[in-house]
Amino acid sequence: MPDRLDLLVIGECVADIVRLPGAADQVHPGGSPANVAHGLARLGHGATLLTQLGPDDNGRLIREHLAGAGVEVRTDSATAPTPSAAVTLDDGGHAAYTFEIAWTLDPVILDRPPHHVHTGSIATVMEPGAATVLSAVESLRTSATVSYDPNVRPELMGDHDAAVRKVERCVALSDVVKASDEDLQWLYPGQEPEQAAERWLTTGPAVVLVTRGGDGALAVLPDGHVTVDALPTDVVDTVGAGDAFMSGTLHALASHGLLGADSRGRLRSLDRDIMTDVLCHAAACAAVTVARAGANPPDEAELKAALARC
């Protein structure tokens, strides 16, 4: 890995309250951006999370969880309750969510400019905080590369057409975009996910990644597609799988020296071998995560072991 990079993640924390029939509720730290920051820190990166946390038990749980992995948590002055999501799992471990969340992020002055900025999910569509996120990304991308994951939550997206416009604005500002096939199907009903990703690529990103659950993942590049299979895994639940995929992607790009504004030109000319390696890292991170409960991404040793199966 190159010298330690400063990676900034902007977005929500959520207390995932997992409910299983006949069992007591289990509270897990979550929220897509928070999970990405946690995954990056576990892989040895300097990760800062700009977020909101309430002065309550869930807020303290999440703060301790993130700090324990080495994430620097920065918050604004809001004192609203920490967002929560009731998570129900089907027989295959697939999660469905019911949210109680507000997002009112105010601007926060950073101590130092990051090399890379990641954002996405609720934080980029829910007002008034979404406007703060967009403004921060616009100002920081002059000195940092940017990644984005819409992580669509239909019940929180508001008006469909307005949500699509916000998502497409974030895509255009980003160098690396990751979306699931389900995200793309909600955003563009009736359109094949690959076609939507190809169109996104023409609006600004260097690469668009599409995750397809058990069918693996796809990278859309200017010169074609690169695919990787999902690693065979006994699935416990899928909570945080896409976030682990995202942190694995950024970890691999950093390892190849492809994050930071100075590297933007090389990122935009990715060769297929490097992209295959990036996808393998991402798929391995996701495989480790789905094999255990909650959003629990791998550390460096666990990733190395999983890569042996890629």
Side-chain angles (χ1 to χ4, degrees), residues 15 92 153 158 206 275-276:
R153 297 289 179 246
M275 192 67 252
T276 299

Side-chain angles (χ1 to χ4, degrees), residues 1-307:
M1 186 184 299
D3 292 341
R4 183 179 174 93
L5 298 180
D6 286 320
L7 307 180
L8 174 67
V9 180
I10 309 175
E12 74 276 2
C13 294
V14 179
D16 289 335
I17 305 170
V18 180
R19 292 175 174 158
L20 299 172
D25 289 352
Q26 300 178 24
V27 181
H28 298 285
S32 177
N35 292 340
V36 173
H38 182 249
L40 288 169
R42 282 182 59 80
L43 292 172
H45 298 279
T48 298
L49 175 66
L50 176 55
T51 191
Q52 291 183 303
L53 285 170
D56 48 32
D57 288 344
N58 286 340
R60 286 185 285 274
L61 172 71
I62 293 173
R63 187 182 290 273
E64 290 172 2
H65 166 75
L66 293 168
V71 178
E72 179 183 344
V73 180
R74 297 289 304 275
T75 60
D76 63 6
S77 58
T79 58
T82 299
S84 64
V87 185
T88 55
L89 304 173
D90 64 19
D91 292 340
H94 298 284
Y97 298 83
T98 302
F99 292 92
E100 292 185 12
I101 183 169
W103 180 245
T104 60
L105 186 72
D106 290 326
V108 175
I109 297 174
L110 300 171
D111 299 330
R112 58 193 181 277
H115 292 90
H116 182 83
V117 179
H118 174 76
T119 192
S121 193
I122 299 162
T124 56
V125 294
M126 182 175 283
E127 299 295 354
T132 301
V133 176
L134 184 64
S135 177
V137 171
E138 288 176 330
S139 64
L140 291 168
R141 76 180 306 276
T142 59
S143 59
T145 42
V146 176
S147 57
Y148 170 64
D149 175 5
N151 190 46
V152 168
R153 297 289 179 246
E155 61 270 41
L156 297 174
M157 300 295 284
D159 176 77
H160 182 271
D161 290 346
V164 170
R165 288 193 294 271
K166 288 182 177 180
V167 167
E168 291 179 345
R169 178 60 177 151
C170 291
V171 169
L173 289 170
S174 300
D175 300 287
V176 179
V177 175
K178 172 256 166 191
S180 70
D181 50 4
E182 293 177 346
D183 292 337
L184 293 169
Q185 287 161 5
W186 185 87
L187 291 164
Y188 308 108
Q191 186 174 149
E192 289 298 320
E194 291 84 353
Q195 292 178 327
E198 289 168 353
R199 184 169 58 80
W200 275 3
L201 190 72
T202 67
T203 68
V207 58
V208 177
L209 309 175
V210 180
T211 58
R212 303 183 291 190
D215 292 328
L218 164 76
V220 178
L221 298 167
D223 65 348
H225 296 178
V226 177
T227 60
V228 66
D229 293 333
L231 273 64
T233 305
D234 292 327
V235 176
V236 173
D237 70 48
T238 61
V239 177
D243 306 324
F245 186 97
M246 189 76 247
S247 57
T249 296
L250 297 178
H251 171 71
L253 291 173
S255 298
H256 286 286
L258 292 170
L259 296 185
D262 291 345
S263 300
R264 184 168 276 133
R266 288 185 294 115
L267 181 61
R268 293 183 176 278
S269 57
L270 275 173
D271 70 44
R272 300 174 73 85
D273 289 340
I274 289 178
M275 192 67 252
T276 299
D277 182 66
V278 170
L279 285 177
C280 283
H281 278 74
C285 283
V288 172
T289 302
V290 301
R292 50 201 189 192
N296 188 2
D299 61 20
E300 292 180 90
E302 291 169 327
L303 173 57
K304 183 176 180 180
L307 282 169

